[in-house]
Amino acid sequence: MNRIMRFTDWLWGYPIIILLLITSIFLTIYLNFVQFRHFIYILIQTFGRFNKEAKGEGTITPKQALTSALSSTVGAANIVGVPTAIMMGGPGALFWMLVIAFLGMALKFSENVLGIAYREKNKKGEFVGGPTYYMYKGFKNKKLGKTFAYVFAFIFMVEIIASVMVQGNSVTANIKDSFHINPLISGIVIAMLTALVVIGGVKSIANVTEKLVPIMVGLYLILGFIIIVINFQAIPGTIGLIFKEAFYPTSVAGGGIGAALASTMRWGFARGVYSNEAGLGSSPIAHAAAKTDHPVRQAFWGIAEIIVDTVLICTTTGLVVLLSGVWKEGGAKAHSSALTARAYHEVFGSWGSTLITLSMFFFVFSTLIVVIFYGSRMAEFLFGIPGGWALKGIYTIAIILGAIGVGKQLWDLLDLALACLLIPNVIAVLILSPKVKQLYQDFFRNYYEK
């Protein structure tokens, strides 16, 4: 197990970061810098039409697809992961987190274009899509595409079991610390609430996330903004520190400026990727169900996803931690998970810690219902609709098992499983990138609205 953990740590270090960085840069150039050239247009097409009726076919609205996808990406990583990056890589990690976010927009855009381009209807009349479909239907070598699709679906389906265990444990442990509630009891309650939502299918999930996500994200951002305003005098110095440490970081023990810079970039990139999930192939599963008249129009919502998740939420967390000064109060990785709560506690008192606990609950709950939906779609792809129903039951039980600490040996394999999803998906996106460019050009020739 130790060898597997060391290999996973190495894999999620420079190999995957370099793969995603090169892929994101290639797609950014190949697609004519779509996320930069059309940034304002994308904002108008997404947030500017947040409550407007969409054209075209689909099962849920574009807004519901966005909030469903955000439910998966907005989670504990936004609260815990950012302070970890700052503690391990220094304040400059926040800069590199934003760099990979903007470059990763091209990758997430491409995933979603393909997810919608190759989607189809299942036996219930719902639109389904994602990596399994564009691998299976898009590859010219059908045998290779079929192999990629089946392996991806199986790994994703199994990975969700470990994922819901981790999520269940993290939120019940947080509830126990704050409210002294037995993890078994809170685990059962969370599992029941999750089951009530996921049994209703994609429309039920979309209806819940449509209402839940704007509230939980809005509340977190408003409270974070209050802390930033309270510490407004420190803003210029903090911004200067971020840029300085991004290029000239403080030397780490046993290494010079080169080692420090590599560490800063590594942690910034890693936490950014982990947060917004660009390249993992999860986002297209949600967006494939959306009503749209063109794959590119809906793929703009994938870019909006990163704007909310990384540019807004992660940046807010980073600034709160840096401006409040709590990041200076300890250098150990073990303390980084408590930094956000400490920053909120200093401003809002005991209510601050409670609010972070509630945010964690809603972030994790929304993540649970969506990742279970993702996993059931994988089971449906492999075994049909009955397989999807069976997996929903297994996932619900896994929440309770995770809450009481069962299966901890599986948790170390979670990162390895995610890598096993990311690598084939990124390869598939690169192989099918000509299709993305063709649809991109078609949209701006025939569907572009000035």
Side-chain angles (χ1 to χ4, degrees):
M1 183 63 74
N2 288 334
R3 289 182 179 179
I4 293 175
M5 289 174 63
R6 285 197 297 270
F7 173 74
T8 303
D9 287 341
W10 170 81
L11 191 62
W12 270 101
Y14 295 112
I16 282 184
I17 290 171
I18 291 171
L19 171 65
L20 288 173
L21 183 60
I22 292 174
T23 301
S24 297
I25 291 173
F26 165 75
L27 290 171
T28 296
I29 297 170
Y30 188 62
L31 298 174
N32 301 319
F33 299 88
V34 56
Q35 71 270 44
F36 299 108
R37 288 183 62 198
H38 303 290
F39 188 74
I40 301 300
Y41 180 74
I42 290 169
L43 292 179
I44 294 170
Q45 289 291 307
T46 53
F47 300 115
R49 297 188 173 187
F50 200 64
N51 292 309
K52 292 186 178 179
E53 187 67 28
K55 303 174 184 177
E57 290 187 304
T59 307
I60 59 178
T61 67
K63 178 177 72 172
Q64 289 174 328
L66 170 70
T67 54
S68 296
L70 275 174
S71 294
S72 171
T73 59
V74 176
N78 299 83
I79 296 175
V80 176
V82 178
T84 299
I86 291 171
M87 296 303 290
M88 301 302 292
L94 190 60
F95 172 83
W96 295 112
M97 186 182 297
L98 290 173
V99 169
I100 196 63
F102 277 96
L103 291 174
M105 288 176 184
L107 175 54
K108 180 155 277 195
F109 171 81
S110 300
E111 289 179 289
N112 282 296
V113 168
L114 294 171
I116 299 153
Y118 291 102
R119 69 180 181 175
E120 58 185 49
K121 282 187 179 181
N122 63 12
K123 291 182 179 179
K124 293 190 292 185
E126 297 173 342
F127 278 90
V128 293
T132 50
Y133 290 88
Y134 57 71
M135 291 171 182
Y136 190 87
K137 297 167 68 176
F139 281 23
K140 290 182 180 179
N141 185 326
K142 296 303 177 184
K143 187 175 180 179
L144 179 65
K146 188 175 181 180
T147 301
F148 262 57
Y150 283 176
V151 169
F152 182 93
F154 180 77
I155 294 174
F156 204 161
M157 183 181 70
V158 174
E159 181 271 336
I160 297 299
I161 296 175
S163 180
V164 297
M165 281 185 170
V166 171
Q167 297 284 350
N169 184 266
S170 66
V171 70
T172 53
N174 210 278
I175 290 172
K176 181 183 178 182
D177 290 341
S178 298
F179 304 110
H180 310 292
I181 297 174
N182 188 307
L184 176 60
I185 296 173
S186 56
I188 291 173
V189 171
I190 293 168
M192 290 175 63
L193 290 173
T194 303
L196 286 174
V197 177
V198 299
I199 285 172
V202 63
K203 289 185 178 180
S204 173
I205 292 168
N207 286 331
V208 170
T209 60
E210 181 182 27
K211 297 175 178 63
L212 182 60
V213 170
I215 293 173
M216 71 182 196
V217 170
L219 179 62
Y220 185 77
L221 290 176
I222 289 170
L223 294 174
F225 181 72
I226 291 173
I227 296 175
I228 292 170
V229 170
I230 289 174
N231 294 279
F232 75 95
Q233 290 181 326
I235 291 176
T238 299
I239 299 298
L241 179 66
I242 291 170
F243 278 94
K244 174 182 175 294
E245 290 284 323
F247 298 97
Y248 302 99
T250 304
S251 298
V252 294
I257 187 68
L261 180 58
S263 176
T264 300
M265 294 178 69
R266 186 253 194 207
W267 280 101
F269 284 165
R271 289 300 99 185
V273 168
Y274 217 84
S275 173
N276 60 52
E277 297 184 2
L280 281 178
S282 54
S283 179
I285 302 172
H287 287 281
K291 293 179 182 178
T292 187
D293 62 344
H294 198 283
V296 167
R297 194 185 303 280
Q298 184 59 35
F300 288 151
W301 290 87
I303 293 177
E305 201 179 312
I306 294 183
I307 292 172
V308 174
D309 176 85
T310 308
V311 178
L312 291 179
I313 299 178
C314 288
T315 301
T316 296
T317 300
L319 288 176
V320 163
V321 169
L322 291 172
L323 288 169
S324 63
V326 296
W327 69 284
K328 299 176 182 178
E329 297 174 14
K333 182 180 178 181
H335 299 308
S336 62
S337 61
L339 289 182
T340 307
R342 195 181 306 165
Y344 276 74
H345 184 273
E346 287 189 359
V347 174
F348 301 106
S350 59
W351 280 100
S353 301
T354 302
L355 288 168
I356 289 297
T357 299
L358 290 174
S359 294
M360 281 281 287
F361 170 77
F362 286 119
F363 282 12
V364 171
F365 176 67
S366 64
T367 298
L368 283 171
I369 61 177
V370 173
V371 297
I372 288 176
F373 163 69
Y374 290 162
S376 66
R377 281 289 195 242
M378 297 300 102
E380 182 181 319
F381 178 82
L382 292 172
F383 308 113
I385 291 176
W389 280 105
L391 259 292
K392 287 179 181 179
I394 293 173
Y395 292 146
T396 303
I397 295 171
I399 295 172
I400 301 173
L401 295 177
I404 59 177
V406 174
K408 283 187 176 180
Q409 65 272 20
L410 296 176
W411 299 0
D412 295 328
L413 301 177
L414 184 58
D415 283 353
L416 181 59
L418 290 174
C420 292
L421 293 175
L422 186 145
I423 294 170
N425 182 58
V426 170
I427 292 172
V429 172
L430 288 172
I431 290 173
L432 296 172
S433 58
K435 178 70 173 180
V436 178
K437 186 162 189 175
Q438 174 197 336
L439 289 167
Y440 165 77
Q441 292 173 335
D442 175 67
F443 177 84
F444 282 98
R445 285 195 195 108
N446 303 311
Y447 289 81
Y448 180 72
E449 301 170 10
K450 295 183 180 180

